[in-house]
Amino acid sequence: MSGAISFFLGLFGLGAAGAVSAGQNAKIKKADYQYGEEHGLHGTSEVLQMRERVRKEWWSICGKTYNACERPASSYGDLSRTPWCYLKKRWFIDHLNKKGIPYDDLVVDDVTGVTFYESQKRTSQAYMRKLR
């Protein structure tokens, strides 16, 4: 008899499995929201339009050697001391300033790879702390 009751409760999501599922859904929603915050997917309509404009500009220039200032990314720092994504960020910001395109650091970090680099760096540091 209790098996039948558990079966019906399970059908309606009211059993223990439903509670676990709800907890997992909340965790997934939180992770999705944090991802959106880190990658500039949230904001007012004006902010989102500005970020979309910056992304389009990035995709129009990212494969080119020279920016609007006619400088290569390698001229924005010492590659032996600075990660490439930071040189590309400086290169792209200089390009945006030259063209008069407004931007915020959140979207520039996302498109140039700084956000990914920092995320990998945090993951690596956490892993190394576990090993000690």
Side-chain angles (χ1 to χ4, degrees):
M1 182 74 168
S2 66
I5 293 171
S6 294
F7 175 74
F8 284 113
L9 287 175
L11 285 176
F12 297 112
L14 301 173
V20 171
S21 178
Q24 289 173 338
N25 286 342
K27 192 174 186 180
I28 291 169
K29 285 181 182 179
K30 181 180 178 185
D32 286 346
Y33 184 80
Q34 286 175 337
Y35 177 85
E37 283 295 309
E38 288 177 2
H39 294 274
L41 302 177
H42 302 168
T44 64
S45 62
E46 295 85 17
V47 169
L48 293 175
Q49 286 176 346
M50 177 267 302
R51 289 176 179 166
E52 186 60 29
R53 171 72 177 104
V54 171
R55 283 187 175 92
K56 285 181 182 177
E57 188 63 28
W58 170 255
W59 285 111
S60 73
I61 191 173
C62 68
K64 297 180 179 176
T65 303
Y66 296 96
N67 61 8
C69 301
E70 299 181 8
R71 291 179 61 191
S74 59
S75 69
Y76 286 88
D78 184 5
L79 191 55
S80 65
R81 295 186 184 133
T82 310
W84 180 250
C85 61
Y86 287 105
L87 300 182
K88 280 297 247 194
K89 178 182 177 179
R90 295 174 192 158
W91 175 84
F92 188 52
I93 287 174
D94 207 18
H95 173 82
L96 293 172
N97 288 334
K98 178 79 172 181
K99 291 188 103 179
I101 299 172
Y103 65 91
D104 66 2
D105 282 335
L106 191 67
V107 71
V108 172
D109 286 350
D110 186 38
V111 297
T112 58
V114 172
T115 302
F116 178 75
Y117 173 79
E118 291 295 329
S119 172
Q120 291 297 312
K121 190 170 145 185
R122 283 191 305 271
T123 302
S124 177
Q125 288 171 345
Y127 180 73
M128 292 305 289
R129 277 193 294 273
K130 283 183 181 179
L131 293 178
R132 292 181 191 160

